[in-house]
Structures are given as structure tokens and as C-alpha cells.
Amino acid sequence: AYGLAKEDAFFDLMRADFQSARDYLSKGLTDLGFSVLPSQGTYFINFDIAPLGENDDVAFCQRLVTELGVAAIPVSAFYAEEPVKTIVRLCFAKKRSTLDAALERLSGVRRR
């Protein structure tokens, strides 16, 4: 109900902000050497961990949280059968400072 009372410009700005955050995180991850998948109509960016030699998205995401303080979501959690186990996702609906901190922390993943 709150959104129904808003002018179109409110949503245009919100959409532009989300697109900017998506593009910023996507470029940052790509610059770090991650294989980023295209993203539209969502608050999430998916990237492939197979090039890192990883094949267990759950274990990878657990290590990210415990070792780097970055929360990622294993895509396999969304499969009832035959899950994809090498794709993880990050939410980009965050403050720029949060995205910066995540990128800085994730820079350590490639050096391991």
C-alpha cells in the first residue's frame, strides 16, 4: 500500500540504484577474476566457483562466512533434485560501503 502512493519517479530512482549496485558488484567480482553470470530482475548476482576448483557450494559458502565474514547463498539450496553445486549468489541490495567491504574480503578467495 505504501508503494501505491508513490510517484513513478520514486520507482525509477530505485530501479536505477539497484542497477548501479548490480553493475558495481558484477564489475568488482569480474575484476577479481570471478565468472559472473548475467543478472536481471533480481537482487542477486550469481557466480561460478568451479574455476576456483570448488565443487560444493554449501561448503564454499560456509567458509566465506566463517573465514571472510561474507554471506553468500548456495544455489543448490533451491533444487529438490540434481542440484547445481558450483554456483553461489550474493545480494547486491546493500549500501555501497557493504559492497566495498565484501569485494575487499572476497579478494582473498582468489589468492588461496
Side-chain angles (χ1 to χ4, degrees):
Y2 173 78
L4 293 174
K6 293 292 185 183
E7 298 291 326
D8 288 346
F10 173 83
F11 297 101
D12 293 340
L13 179 61
M14 181 173 53
R15 186 172 34 253
D17 287 345
F18 283 134
Q19 182 175 342
S20 175
R22 179 200 66 200
D23 294 348
Y24 182 79
L25 183 58
S26 180
K27 181 180 182 326
L29 290 169
T30 299
D31 289 350
L32 290 174
F34 290 100
S35 178
V36 179
L37 293 108
S39 172
Q40 288 185 313
T42 181
Y43 303 114
F44 301 95
I45 287 181
N46 294 333
F47 63 96
D48 190 356
I49 60 173
L52 302 173
E54 300 282 348
N55 61 8
D56 185 343
D57 58 341
V58 173
F60 180 81
C61 289
Q62 288 173 338
R63 283 195 315 275
L64 282 184
V65 169
T66 58
E67 296 176 14
L68 301 176
V70 175
I73 302 158
V75 170
S76 66
F78 300 102
Y79 287 77
E81 298 176 14
E82 301 180 38
V84 172
K85 303 273 295 169
T86 61
I87 305 293
V88 300
R89 70 188 208 165
L90 295 171
C91 180
F92 59 80
K94 309 282 181 184
K95 294 178 187 175
R96 181 63 58 100
S97 60
T98 302
L99 298 178
D100 285 336
L103 288 168
E104 175 62 30
R105 293 173 184 183
L106 287 168
S107 69
V109 171
R110 299 296 293 183
R111 292 190 292 254
R112 290 172 189 253

mmCIF file of all heavy atoms in Angstrom, residues 48-81:
data_model
loop_
_atom_site.group_PDB
_atom_site.id
_atom_site.type_symbol
_atom_site.label_atom_id
_atom_site.label_comp_id
_atom_site.label_asym_id
_atom_site.label_seq_id
_atom_site.Cartn_x
_atom_site.Cartn_y
_atom_site.Cartn_z
ATOM 1 N N ASP A 48 30.216 -18.429 -10.618
ATOM 2 C CA ASP A 48 30.626 -19.824 -10.704
ATOM 3 C C ASP A 48 31.902 -20.047 -9.897
ATOM 4 O O ASP A 48 32.890 -19.338 -10.082
ATOM 5 C CB ASP A 48 30.858 -20.166 -12.179
ATOM 6 C CG ASP A 48 31.061 -21.644 -12.433
ATOM 7 O OD1 ASP A 48 31.101 -22.435 -11.465
ATOM 8 O OD2 ASP A 48 31.175 -22.010 -13.613
ATOM 9 N N ILE A 49 31.876 -21.032 -9.017
ATOM 10 C CA ILE A 49 33.051 -21.335 -8.199
ATOM 11 C C ILE A 49 33.873 -22.494 -8.764
ATOM 12 O O ILE A 49 34.946 -22.798 -8.245
ATOM 13 C CB ILE A 49 32.664 -21.608 -6.731
ATOM 14 C CG1 ILE A 49 31.707 -22.794 -6.616
ATOM 15 C CG2 ILE A 49 32.078 -20.349 -6.094
ATOM 16 C CD1 ILE A 49 31.413 -23.234 -5.189
ATOM 17 N N ALA A 50 33.398 -23.117 -9.837
ATOM 18 C CA ALA A 50 34.145 -24.225 -10.441
ATOM 19 C C ALA A 50 35.551 -23.802 -10.875
ATOM 20 O O ALA A 50 36.506 -24.565 -10.651
ATOM 21 C CB ALA A 50 33.369 -24.825 -11.614
ATOM 22 N N PRO A 51 35.737 -22.603 -11.466
ATOM 23 C CA PRO A 51 37.100 -22.207 -11.839
ATOM 24 C C PRO A 51 38.055 -22.082 -10.649
ATOM 25 O O PRO A 51 39.273 -22.049 -10.828
ATOM 26 C CB PRO A 51 36.904 -20.850 -12.523
ATOM 27 C CG PRO A 51 35.514 -20.884 -13.035
ATOM 28 C CD PRO A 51 34.753 -21.667 -11.991
ATOM 29 N N LEU A 52 37.498 -22.021 -9.439
ATOM 30 C CA LEU A 52 38.331 -21.982 -8.230
ATOM 31 C C LEU A 52 38.719 -23.380 -7.769
ATOM 32 O O LEU A 52 39.402 -23.529 -6.756
ATOM 33 C CB LEU A 52 37.566 -21.295 -7.088
ATOM 34 C CG LEU A 52 37.071 -19.877 -7.315
ATOM 35 C CD1 LEU A 52 36.189 -19.429 -6.161
ATOM 36 C CD2 LEU A 52 38.254 -18.941 -7.473
ATOM 37 N N GLY A 53 38.233 -24.392 -8.488
ATOM 38 C CA GLY A 53 38.465 -25.767 -8.063
ATOM 39 C C GLY A 53 37.451 -26.223 -7.023
ATOM 40 O O GLY A 53 37.635 -27.249 -6.382
ATOM 41 N N GLU A 54 36.388 -25.473 -6.865
ATOM 42 C CA GLU A 54 35.349 -25.781 -5.867
ATOM 43 C C GLU A 54 34.205 -26.539 -6.536
ATOM 44 O O GLU A 54 33.829 -26.226 -7.668
ATOM 45 C CB GLU A 54 34.798 -24.487 -5.261
ATOM 46 C CG GLU A 54 35.821 -23.641 -4.554
ATOM 47 C CD GLU A 54 36.180 -24.150 -3.171
ATOM 48 O OE1 GLU A 54 35.481 -25.045 -2.650
ATOM 49 O OE2 GLU A 54 37.161 -23.648 -2.613
ATOM 50 N N ASN A 55 33.648 -27.501 -5.829
ATOM 51 C CA ASN A 55 32.502 -28.239 -6.359
ATOM 52 C C ASN A 55 31.410 -28.455 -5.314
ATOM 53 O O ASN A 55 30.523 -29.263 -5.516
ATOM 54 C CB ASN A 55 32.946 -29.576 -6.958
ATOM 55 C CG ASN A 55 33.605 -30.477 -5.937
ATOM 56 O OD1 ASN A 55 33.610 -30.185 -4.745
ATOM 57 N ND2 ASN A 55 34.171 -31.572 -6.401
ATOM 58 N N ASP A 56 31.497 -27.745 -4.207
ATOM 59 C CA ASP A 56 30.497 -27.855 -3.139
ATOM 60 C C ASP A 56 30.122 -26.447 -2.683
ATOM 61 O O ASP A 56 30.810 -25.837 -1.861
ATOM 62 C CB ASP A 56 31.064 -28.670 -1.978
ATOM 63 C CG ASP A 56 30.055 -28.925 -0.876
ATOM 64 O OD1 ASP A 56 29.015 -28.224 -0.816
ATOM 65 O OD2 ASP A 56 30.306 -29.813 -0.049
ATOM 66 N N ASP A 57 29.024 -25.956 -3.228
ATOM 67 C CA ASP A 57 28.619 -24.580 -2.939
ATOM 68 C C ASP A 57 28.284 -24.352 -1.471
ATOM 69 O O ASP A 57 28.564 -23.289 -0.923
ATOM 70 C CB ASP A 57 27.455 -24.147 -3.834
ATOM 71 C CG ASP A 57 26.218 -25.023 -3.716
ATOM 72 O OD1 ASP A 57 26.305 -26.172 -3.238
ATOM 73 O OD2 ASP A 57 25.130 -24.562 -4.138
ATOM 74 N N VAL A 58 27.746 -25.356 -0.805
ATOM 75 C CA VAL A 58 27.407 -25.213 0.615
ATOM 76 C C VAL A 58 28.674 -25.030 1.445
ATOM 77 O O VAL A 58 28.779 -24.102 2.259
ATOM 78 C CB VAL A 58 26.571 -26.411 1.116
ATOM 79 C CG1 VAL A 58 26.364 -26.335 2.628
ATOM 80 C CG2 VAL A 58 25.222 -26.464 0.396
ATOM 81 N N ALA A 59 29.645 -25.896 1.234
ATOM 82 C CA ALA A 59 30.908 -25.800 1.978
ATOM 83 C C ALA A 59 31.619 -24.485 1.667
ATOM 84 O O ALA A 59 32.169 -23.835 2.565
ATOM 85 C CB ALA A 59 31.812 -26.986 1.644
ATOM 86 N N PHE A 60 31.600 -24.070 0.399
ATOM 87 C CA PHE A 60 32.226 -22.814 -0.001
ATOM 88 C C PHE A 60 31.573 -21.630 0.722
ATOM 89 O O PHE A 60 32.262 -20.774 1.272
ATOM 90 C CB PHE A 60 32.120 -22.642 -1.516
ATOM 91 C CG PHE A 60 32.733 -21.379 -2.034
ATOM 92 C CD1 PHE A 60 34.099 -21.286 -2.248
ATOM 93 C CD2 PHE A 60 31.945 -20.275 -2.307
ATOM 94 C CE1 PHE A 60 34.673 -20.113 -2.724
ATOM 95 C CE2 PHE A 60 32.496 -19.097 -2.792
ATOM 96 C CZ PHE A 60 33.870 -19.019 -2.994
ATOM 97 N N CYS A 61 30.239 -21.600 0.737
ATOM 98 C CA CYS A 61 29.521 -20.503 1.400
ATOM 99 C C CYS A 61 29.776 -20.503 2.907
ATOM 100 O O CYS A 61 29.905 -19.439 3.513
ATOM 101 C CB CYS A 61 28.029 -20.582 1.098
ATOM 102 S SG CYS A 61 27.623 -20.156 -0.607
ATOM 103 N N GLN A 62 29.869 -21.674 3.507
ATOM 104 C CA GLN A 62 30.173 -21.751 4.937
ATOM 105 C C GLN A 62 31.567 -21.186 5.221
ATOM 106 O O GLN A 62 31.759 -20.467 6.200
ATOM 107 C CB GLN A 62 30.057 -23.188 5.434
ATOM 108 C CG GLN A 62 28.627 -23.662 5.517
ATOM 109 C CD GLN A 62 28.499 -25.142 5.843
ATOM 110 O OE1 GLN A 62 29.414 -25.942 5.628
ATOM 111 N NE2 GLN A 62 27.332 -25.515 6.346
ATOM 112 N N ARG A 63 32.534 -21.502 4.364
ATOM 113 C CA ARG A 63 33.884 -20.953 4.535
ATOM 114 C C ARG A 63 33.891 -19.438 4.352
ATOM 115 O O ARG A 63 34.609 -18.729 5.069
ATOM 116 C CB ARG A 63 34.870 -21.612 3.567
ATOM 117 C CG ARG A 63 35.301 -22.986 3.992
ATOM 118 C CD ARG A 63 36.523 -23.493 3.250
ATOM 119 N NE ARG A 63 36.517 -23.279 1.814
ATOM 120 C CZ ARG A 63 35.939 -24.078 0.922
ATOM 121 N NH1 ARG A 63 35.299 -25.162 1.332
ATOM 122 N NH2 ARG A 63 36.006 -23.814 -0.364
ATOM 123 N N LEU A 64 33.126 -18.940 3.389
ATOM 124 C CA LEU A 64 33.077 -17.490 3.193
ATOM 125 C C LEU A 64 32.617 -16.789 4.464
ATOM 126 O O LEU A 64 33.177 -15.766 4.857
ATOM 127 C CB LEU A 64 32.135 -17.112 2.042
ATOM 128 C CG LEU A 64 32.624 -17.288 0.623
ATOM 129 C CD1 LEU A 64 31.578 -16.760 -0.361
ATOM 130 C CD2 LEU A 64 33.947 -16.598 0.381
ATOM 131 N N VAL A 65 31.595 -17.329 5.100
ATOM 132 C CA VAL A 65 31.067 -16.705 6.319
ATOM 133 C C VAL A 65 32.070 -16.811 7.462
ATOM 134 O O VAL A 65 32.376 -15.814 8.120
ATOM 135 C CB VAL A 65 29.714 -17.336 6.724
ATOM 136 C CG1 VAL A 65 29.299 -16.900 8.113
ATOM 137 C CG2 VAL A 65 28.637 -16.961 5.730
ATOM 138 N N THR A 66 32.590 -17.987 7.693
ATOM 139 C CA THR A 66 33.456 -18.180 8.858
ATOM 140 C C THR A 66 34.842 -17.570 8.677
ATOM 141 O O THR A 66 35.416 -17.050 9.630
ATOM 142 C CB THR A 66 33.598 -19.677 9.213
ATOM 143 O OG1 THR A 66 34.124 -20.379 8.099
ATOM 144 C CG2 THR A 66 32.263 -20.270 9.612
ATOM 145 N N GLU A 67 35.383 -17.622 7.472
ATOM 146 C CA GLU A 67 36.741 -17.136 7.257
ATOM 147 C C GLU A 67 36.823 -15.682 6.802
ATOM 148 O O GLU A 67 37.783 -14.984 7.116
ATOM 149 C CB GLU A 67 37.455 -18.019 6.227
ATOM 150 C CG GLU A 67 37.651 -19.439 6.701
ATOM 151 C CD GLU A 67 38.261 -20.343 5.641
ATOM 152 O OE1 GLU A 67 38.778 -19.833 4.618
ATOM 153 O OE2 GLU A 67 38.211 -21.579 5.831
ATOM 154 N N LEU A 68 35.823 -15.232 6.036
ATOM 155 C CA LEU A 68 35.892 -13.884 5.470
ATOM 156 C C LEU A 68 34.776 -12.945 5.932
ATOM 157 O O LEU A 68 34.830 -11.759 5.654
ATOM 158 C CB LEU A 68 35.879 -13.963 3.934
ATOM 159 C CG LEU A 68 37.014 -14.759 3.296
ATOM 160 C CD1 LEU A 68 36.827 -14.827 1.787
ATOM 161 C CD2 LEU A 68 38.360 -14.153 3.645
ATOM 162 N N GLY A 69 33.751 -13.489 6.567
ATOM 163 C CA GLY A 69 32.640 -12.650 7.012
ATOM 164 C C GLY A 69 31.752 -12.178 5.882
ATOM 165 O O GLY A 69 31.119 -11.134 5.980
ATOM 166 N N VAL A 70 31.686 -12.960 4.808
ATOM 167 C CA VAL A 70 30.829 -12.633 3.664
ATOM 168 C C VAL A 70 29.759 -13.715 3.552
ATOM 169 O O VAL A 70 30.080 -14.898 3.447
ATOM 170 C CB VAL A 70 31.641 -12.563 2.352
ATOM 171 C CG1 VAL A 70 30.719 -12.351 1.158
ATOM 172 C CG2 VAL A 70 32.687 -11.463 2.421
ATOM 173 N N ALA A 71 28.504 -13.297 3.573
ATOM 174 C CA ALA A 71 27.401 -14.250 3.461
ATOM 175 C C ALA A 71 26.998 -14.400 2.004
ATOM 176 O O ALA A 71 26.652 -13.429 1.344
ATOM 177 C CB ALA A 71 26.211 -13.785 4.293
ATOM 178 N N ALA A 72 27.065 -15.624 1.512
ATOM 179 C CA ALA A 72 26.627 -15.968 0.164
ATOM 180 C C ALA A 72 25.621 -17.110 0.280
ATOM 181 O O ALA A 72 25.560 -17.795 1.307
ATOM 182 C CB ALA A 72 27.814 -16.378 -0.699
ATOM 183 N N ILE A 73 24.865 -17.313 -0.759
ATOM 184 C CA ILE A 73 23.808 -18.320 -0.748
ATOM 185 C C ILE A 73 24.160 -19.425 -1.741
ATOM 186 O O ILE A 73 24.396 -19.146 -2.924
ATOM 187 C CB ILE A 73 22.458 -17.686 -1.137
ATOM 188 C CG1 ILE A 73 22.131 -16.547 -0.178
ATOM 189 C CG2 ILE A 73 21.346 -18.724 -1.165
ATOM 190 C CD1 ILE A 73 21.158 -15.542 -0.720
ATOM 191 N N PRO A 74 24.190 -20.677 -1.287
ATOM 192 C CA PRO A 74 24.440 -21.775 -2.220
ATOM 193 C C PRO A 74 23.198 -22.012 -3.088
ATOM 194 O O PRO A 74 22.106 -22.229 -2.572
ATOM 195 C CB PRO A 74 24.723 -22.964 -1.310
ATOM 196 C CG PRO A 74 24.054 -22.630 -0.013
ATOM 197 C CD PRO A 74 24.022 -21.132 0.081
ATOM 198 N N VAL A 75 23.365 -21.959 -4.383
ATOM 199 C CA VAL A 75 22.233 -22.116 -5.298
ATOM 200 C C VAL A 75 21.629 -23.514 -5.193
ATOM 201 O O VAL A 75 20.436 -23.693 -5.427
ATOM 202 C CB VAL A 75 22.647 -21.762 -6.740
ATOM 203 C CG1 VAL A 75 21.580 -22.133 -7.755
ATOM 204 C CG2 VAL A 75 22.939 -20.268 -6.837
ATOM 205 N N SER A 76 22.416 -24.483 -4.782
ATOM 206 C CA SER A 76 21.885 -25.849 -4.646
ATOM 207 C C SER A 76 20.714 -25.914 -3.663
ATOM 208 O O SER A 76 19.885 -26.826 -3.760
ATOM 209 C CB SER A 76 22.984 -26.811 -4.206
ATOM 210 O OG SER A 76 23.437 -26.503 -2.896
ATOM 211 N N ALA A 77 20.608 -24.946 -2.767
ATOM 212 C CA ALA A 77 19.509 -24.933 -1.801
ATOM 213 C C ALA A 77 18.140 -24.788 -2.467
ATOM 214 O O ALA A 77 17.118 -25.109 -1.865
ATOM 215 C CB ALA A 77 19.707 -23.793 -0.802
ATOM 216 N N PHE A 78 18.126 -24.355 -3.715
ATOM 217 C CA PHE A 78 16.867 -24.132 -4.419
ATOM 218 C C PHE A 78 16.453 -25.305 -5.298
ATOM 219 O O PHE A 78 15.476 -25.220 -6.029
ATOM 220 C CB PHE A 78 16.961 -22.863 -5.272
ATOM 221 C CG PHE A 78 17.241 -21.648 -4.440
ATOM 222 C CD1 PHE A 78 18.522 -21.115 -4.382
ATOM 223 C CD2 PHE A 78 16.245 -21.048 -3.689
ATOM 224 C CE1 PHE A 78 18.796 -20.000 -3.607
ATOM 225 C CE2 PHE A 78 16.506 -19.947 -2.910
ATOM 226 C CZ PHE A 78 17.787 -19.423 -2.864
ATOM 227 N N TYR A 79 17.198 -26.399 -5.232
ATOM 228 C CA TYR A 79 16.918 -27.568 -6.057
ATOM 229 C C TYR A 79 16.407 -28.710 -5.198
ATOM 230 O O TYR A 79 16.992 -29.027 -4.174
ATOM 231 C CB TYR A 79 18.190 -28.049 -6.755
ATOM 232 C CG TYR A 79 18.651 -27.175 -7.894
ATOM 233 C CD1 TYR A 79 19.307 -25.971 -7.666
ATOM 234 C CD2 TYR A 79 18.438 -27.574 -9.207
ATOM 235 C CE1 TYR A 79 19.736 -25.175 -8.710
ATOM 236 C CE2 TYR A 79 18.863 -26.784 -10.262
ATOM 237 C CZ TYR A 79 19.514 -25.589 -10.013
ATOM 238 O OH TYR A 79 19.934 -24.814 -11.048
ATOM 239 N N ALA A 80 15.333 -29.355 -5.649
ATOM 240 C CA ALA A 80 14.839 -30.548 -4.972
ATOM 241 C C ALA A 80 15.594 -31.784 -5.442
ATOM 242 O O ALA A 80 15.804 -32.727 -4.683
ATOM 243 C CB ALA A 80 13.346 -30.728 -5.233
ATOM 244 N N GLU A 81 16.015 -31.771 -6.704
ATOM 245 C CA GLU A 81 16.741 -32.896 -7.284
ATOM 246 C C GLU A 81 17.854 -32.369 -8.180
ATOM 247 O O GLU A 81 17.738 -31.298 -8.774
ATOM 248 C CB GLU A 81 15.799 -33.759 -8.125
ATOM 249 C CG GLU A 81 14.674 -34.393 -7.341
ATOM 250 C CD GLU A 81 13.709 -35.166 -8.228
ATOM 251 O OE1 GLU A 81 14.052 -35.432 -9.401
ATOM 252 O OE2 GLU A 81 12.619 -35.478 -7.753
#
